[in-house]
Structures are given as structure tokens and as C-alpha cells.
Amino acid sequence: MKDTFKHKGMRQQLVTILQKKGIKDQKVLNAIGKIPRHFFMDSGFIDHAYQDKAFPIAANQTISQPYTVAFQSELLDVKPNHKILEIGTGSGYQTAVLIELGAKVYSIERQKELFKKTSKFLPKIGYIAKKLIFGDGYKGLPEEAPFDSIIVTAGAPFVPKPLLSQLKIDGRLVIPVGDDIQIMTLFIRKGPKDFEKHELGEFRFVPLLEDKN
């Protein structure tokens, strides 16, 4: 796997596209500009790696559209050493972006095939998560809670209560909610039972499945 000047140039073009679409957080743009997205895809599809499109990967999942990754990452408002729970490791691309932003990442994947592949692959390219877990994302990770923020990278028909309860005060949950089309939703925890909710436009994700390990 090589990261050439051509790839770097294509990444900068992608960053420009994301800026035009409204991504403002320079740290997020820098992370997208740095991470070789083509490493996360089948070598036959390198040309697609720097288009602003989702793309199929193993286990009927997708690597999210770069704009979606940037949009969700920006909403998390990541600070160095933030403890972040990611639901849906997938290819590991979003995980790498969070690590690049300085977060300590705990990530859960429910597809065995993807989990095995990604947990070997991420350290190989220098991205070390605090924990990669094979399990049910709906339950969150109570033993490591509370988290500064939680990101869900699959469409959820409802908001799993355990995730809200595992946030710190002022913590953020970013989750796409809905069946066919999801509404990107941000919850900010204001108190033990008090959450501020923001709805931020329509997206399409693969579904978040419960108890399907």
C-alpha cells in the first residue's frame, strides 16, 4: 500500500469539496487531508477513494461518504484526549479520523468479519484505538463510561437509552435516527435527565442492527 503524491493531491481536492459543502473545522479537514482513505478500500477501487461518495466494503456495509464523516466529526467538537465511543467501527476510517483529532477511541463492531479485519488493519497503518470490541452497539460500553462523546455510524430506528446514559455532562451524542432516511441528530447532555436535541438534516446510512452478533 503506497500513499503517493497523486493520492495526496486527490485528498486536497476532496478537502476543498468538503469546505465548499460547509465543513469549517480545520482540524477535521486536516485529518481528512492526512488519512489515506484508499488504504481502507479494495485496491481495485482506488479511483473512488477520494470521491465524496460512500462505497461498499465487506459484510454488506459501507465506508461512509467523506462529507458524512467530516460532518459527524465536526459535531462531536473533539478536543485532545477526549474519550469517545464509536458505534460501528466498519472499515475503521472514521476511527482513524477521531484518533487523528487526538481522541481516545473505544469502538464497537457487530460484524465478525469486519471486526477481525479492521482490528488487525488499523494498528498496521499507525492508528491505535484504546479498545476495539466485537459486540452490540445498542448497549454501549458501560464499563468504560462516561464518555465525552458518542458517535453512531449506522442508521438507528430509535435512540438507544444506554448511549444517552453513558455521556458525561456536556457530552455529545451524534446519531442518525430513522428507517429509510435518517435525520442526523445531536444530543447534548445538560444534566442527569436533561438533554438538548438538535436535528441537522437528512442522511442515508446502513441500518444499526440490534443483537445480531
Side-chain angles (χ1 to χ4, degrees), residues 101-117:
L101 292 170
K104 293 175 175 165
V105 184
Y106 297 75
S107 189
I108 304 176
E109 175 53 57
R110 59 167 201 87
Q111 299 274 5
K112 196 69 173 251
E113 176 190 356
L114 267 181
F115 169 74
K116 282 181 176 165
K117 190 174 171 187

Side-chain angles (χ1 to χ4, degrees), residues 94-144:
Q94 173 75 72
T95 321
V97 169
L98 296 173
I99 294 169
E100 196 62 62
L101 292 170
K104 293 175 175 165
V105 184
Y106 297 75
S107 189
I108 304 176
E109 175 53 57
R110 59 167 201 87
Q111 299 274 5
K112 196 69 173 251
E113 176 190 356
L114 267 181
F115 169 74
K116 282 181 176 165
K117 190 174 171 187
T118 303
S119 47
K120 280 200 192 91
F121 168 69
L122 276 175
K124 204 183 279 181
I125 60 163
Y127 289 103
I128 315 286
K130 288 302 261 184
K131 267 191 187 172
L132 293 173
I133 298 126
F134 173 61
D136 180 0
Y138 272 82
K139 298 185 176 87
L141 202 59
E143 65 273 25
E144 295 292 349

Side-chain angles (χ1 to χ4, degrees), residues 52-175:
D52 189 25
K53 289 180 181 160
F55 208 77
I57 54 170
N60 292 327
Q61 302 297 297
T62 59
I63 179 170
S64 288
Q65 180 184 354
Y67 173 72
T68 305
V69 171
F71 189 86
Q72 285 195 286
S73 301
E74 191 168 68
L75 285 177
L76 288 174
D77 191 23
V78 182
K79 303 284 188 278
N81 293 319
H82 262 189
K83 195 173 172 184
I84 296 184
L85 175 62
E86 177 188 34
I87 309 299
T89 318
S91 69
Y93 180 67
Q94 173 75 72
T95 321
V97 169
L98 296 173
I99 294 169
E100 196 62 62
L101 292 170
K104 293 175 175 165
V105 184
Y106 297 75
S107 189
I108 304 176
E109 175 53 57
R110 59 167 201 87
Q111 299 274 5
K112 196 69 173 251
E113 176 190 356
L114 267 181
F115 169 74
K116 282 181 176 165
K117 190 174 171 187
T118 303
S119 47
K120 280 200 192 91
F121 168 69
L122 276 175
K124 204 183 279 181
I125 60 163
Y127 289 103
I128 315 286
K130 288 302 261 184
K131 267 191 187 172
L132 293 173
I133 298 126
F134 173 61
D136 180 0
Y138 272 82
K139 298 185 176 87
L141 202 59
E143 65 273 25
E144 295 292 349
F147 294 95
D148 292 291
S149 50
I150 298 175
I151 177 173
V152 179
T153 64
F158 60 89
V159 180
K161 287 211 169 67
L163 300 187
L164 289 168
S165 72
Q166 289 171 32
L167 280 179
K168 287 182 181 173
I169 302 298
D170 290 324
R172 291 167 166 247
L173 167 64
V174 175
I175 179 168

